Amino acid sequence: MEKRKFRPAELLRSFELVQQYGVASSDGWGREYGPIKVSSGIDGYTITLENRRASVTVNFHNTLSFSTTDRAALESLHRDIANVSRALNEVA
């Protein structure tokens, strides 16, 4: 999985869907839907999407930062985000 397959616009849309249809996370920080948890920074300029193996943060000016360089973890994260987005697009 190449990091460039993560597109800021798609991540922002996925974030909004989980914010709208997800439930409050058990740690009280963010919202969850299935394997994906989303949260935002206090500054309002960063958002993070994560699963149990990895996370991606969309920073100011749509730059991305990742919690890992492990290919399998990134593939898992990308797949989980895509599956959750697909499911929630059917609801929206």
Side-chain angles (χ1 to χ4, degrees):
M1 166 64 56
E2 294 179 36
K3 291 180 181 178
R4 64 187 148 167
K5 289 191 177 187
F6 287 87
R7 294 182 177 88
E10 292 171 5
L11 294 171
L12 292 167
R13 174 72 177 143
S14 298
F15 176 87
E16 288 300 321
L17 287 168
V18 174
Q19 280 287 92
Q20 184 174 0
Y21 296 104
V23 298
S25 65
S26 57
D27 64 6
W29 188 254
R31 298 189 60 80
E32 298 175 343
Y33 189 92
I36 295 297
K37 176 184 170 189
V38 300
S39 58
S40 60
I42 357 177
D43 61 5
Y45 290 108
T46 60
I47 63 163
T48 300
L49 296 91
E50 63 184 284
N51 65 7
R52 291 183 182 200
R53 299 184 64 196
S55 68
V56 58
T57 300
V58 181
N59 300 296
F60 192 62
H61 293 301
N62 291 331
T63 58
L64 303 178
S65 56
F66 298 87
S67 64
T68 183
T69 57
D70 179 83
R71 186 188 254 331
L74 290 174
E75 287 176 1
S76 168
L77 178 62
H78 191 268
R79 184 176 46 255
D80 285 347
I81 291 171
N83 289 340
V84 164
S85 293
R86 194 173 308 111
L88 291 176
N89 272 320
E90 292 176 7
V91 173

